[in-house]
Amino acid sequence: PSEVLQEQRADVVDLADANLAAAHPAGTEFATEEFEQLEDWTLSEDRVTDLVEAWTAFTGPYLTELTFYPSHVSLTVPTRSAGDVMLERWSYGYDHAPTTASLSNAEATRDTVPGFSVAELDVPRLFDNVERALAELGVEEAVVSTIGVRTSIMSELPEVSIYVHNRLGDTARLTTTLAGHVLAEYPFDPDR
């Protein structure tokens, strides 16, 4: 209801006014000291907490997109170059050494979507909601597909989408705020 909507609006970051880090050259790697505690990536509460803390120390809290996969993480980070907001795409995990990230070419954008502060992500509540999605959305033997944190194109408000699936291809989704309040459930429907 209205308090949840107010919470979402408070989580929106106007990137034009935010104190963004300077753009990084292509091929930049995560600083070892900030990321050494992550070791091999796993999708767990401890690893997500470590990543959020390390990322915030590395380049600041602002993101436009963050996607957790079982094997890796993808981040879209707003930075500043010559006064313009740039979007950098980072990845962590795959077969990379634990401290290495690949960086695509920064993309200039004038009308970028609003961002959010990853520091506002309530990681313990996120994992409570992961358990809820696995247990209550009608997908038998469910596992997490992805967890996407981004600003909705429709509402321009930050939200978290937890996707679950099984080996039969049954899928479901739970959408929440950064603080973990449930916005919508999309359980598996065998008739779809």
Side-chain angles (χ1 to χ4, degrees), residues 1-177:
S2 65
E3 62 192 38
V4 173
L5 186 59
Q6 289 174 346
E7 169 195 309
Q8 281 185 287
R9 286 186 179 136
D11 288 336
V12 173
V13 173
D14 183 347
L15 300 176
D17 298 329
N19 183 19
L20 302 179
H24 299 89
T28 301
E29 295 182 352
F30 286 132
T32 302
E33 64 194 48
E34 287 127 348
F35 288 86
E36 64 188 5
Q37 76 274 22
L38 290 177
E39 299 176 2
D40 294 329
W41 173 254
T42 58
L43 184 55
S44 68
E45 184 175 337
D46 289 343
R47 287 295 181 244
V48 170
T49 298
D50 291 345
L51 180 85
V52 168
E53 290 172 359
W55 188 264
T56 301
F58 176 58
T59 195
Y62 305 118
L63 299 172
T64 59
E65 189 171 342
L66 171 62
T67 306
F68 298 107
Y69 300 89
S71 63
H72 65 283
V73 179
S74 172
L75 306 99
T76 303
V77 182
T79 58
R80 198 167 299 286
S81 178
D84 293 329
V85 174
M86 308 286 284
L87 294 181
E88 297 178 345
R89 291 189 183 13
W90 290 80
S91 65
Y92 174 84
Y94 294 111
D95 295 327
H96 297 303
T99 58
T100 303
S102 61
L103 176 66
S104 69
N105 293 331
E107 297 178 0
T109 178
R110 290 176 182 252
D111 300 314
T112 188
V113 296
F116 61 89
S117 171
V118 72
E120 298 301 318
L121 182 63
D122 186 329
V123 178
R125 292 252 342 243
L126 168 66
F127 278 86
D128 288 345
N129 286 325
V130 166
E131 291 304 315
R132 177 179 177 167
L134 292 170
E136 298 179 13
L137 294 181
V139 177
E140 292 184 27
E141 299 180 22
V143 296
V144 174
S145 304
T146 60
I147 300 171
V149 185
R150 62 188 50 87
T151 303
S152 166
I153 295 170
M154 305 261 311
S155 69
E156 294 194 345
L157 297 172
E159 61 185 34
V160 178
S161 294
I162 302 165
Y163 294 88
V164 298
H165 75 281
N166 64 17
R167 61 182 175 76
L168 300 173
D170 303 339
T171 62
R173 175 172 49 116
L174 178 68
T175 303
T176 73
T177 64

